Amino acid sequence: MIDNQQLLNQIMKAAQMGQSGIHAVMPKTHQPALRQALKSQRKEYVAIEQQAAALARSQGYHMTNLNPLARSMTEMASRSRLMTGNRDSKIAGMMIQGNTRGMIESLQNIKNCRDPQPAVAELAQKMLETEICNIQQMKGFL
């Protein structure tokens, strides 16, 4: 079981991971529509991260950021996967995979949080819905 602080920290890290993934692939996009979709998704992740941080501050929780090694690994994996082939399709596939992993983690965290505060539960649900919407949006670019 996890508590509200741990759930908020997981939400914040997931939002940071989403931003990191988008940052890693953004320069490789060709289609303006894909670039715009990624910018929109990044904006949503920034908003969720800020909401999680503000909620944590209001509760006196100490948050930890995404491990810099995870960010580096994202960059390296993106570069190697995008060396050949249809980059935009590969980017969409990578985004779908990342959001699917995030969605699974979000569902597990929501299920495993004991006595979630309403604001924390609402933000966790928003993160889950964001991941689901991102998957649907990326399907068009495969």
Side-chain angles (χ1 to χ4, degrees):
M1 296 300 280
I2 63 174
D3 61 21
N4 285 286
Q5 180 177 354
Q6 292 166 316
L7 180 55
L8 273 176
N9 208 51
Q10 291 301 320
I11 293 167
M12 192 172 88
K13 286 181 178 180
Q16 290 173 347
M17 190 65 195
Q19 292 172 64
S20 180
I22 290 169
H23 176 77
V25 299
M26 186 73 79
K28 308 282 190 205
T29 60
H30 292 286
Q31 294 180 50
L34 176 58
R35 184 179 305 271
Q36 187 57 43
L38 291 172
K39 284 180 182 179
S40 175
Q41 289 182 11
R42 183 175 53 199
K43 184 177 178 182
E44 186 70 24
Y45 284 132
V46 167
I48 290 171
E49 179 187 9
Q50 290 172 345
Q51 288 176 317
L55 192 51
R57 274 192 308 277
S58 76
Q59 298 296 317
Y61 297 152
H62 173 72
M63 298 283 104
T64 57
N65 287 315
L66 183 64
N67 184 328
L69 182 58
R71 294 177 198 265
S72 296
M73 296 296 286
T74 299
E75 291 277 339
M76 289 180 357
S78 297
R79 268 183 289 197
S80 67
R81 289 182 186 168
L82 298 175
M83 291 180 126
T84 62
N86 182 339
R87 285 185 181 172
D88 287 345
S89 179
K90 286 184 179 182
I91 288 169
M94 289 165 54
M95 294 293 106
I96 289 170
Q97 289 172 349
N99 277 287
T100 300
R101 282 190 300 272
M103 185 181 72
I104 292 167
E105 186 175 309
S106 289
L107 284 167
Q108 290 171 334
N109 288 335
I110 290 168
K111 181 180 176 187
N112 291 324
C113 185
R114 62 184 123 93
D115 196 28
Q117 297 169 351
V120 175
E122 184 179 316
L123 187 57
Q125 187 63 37
K126 180 178 181 179
M127 183 64 174
L128 177 61
E129 290 169 5
T130 296
E131 291 161 332
I132 292 168
C133 288
N134 289 351
I135 291 167
Q136 293 302 317
Q137 188 178 36
M138 287 293 115
K139 284 181 181 180
F141 297 103
L142 286 175

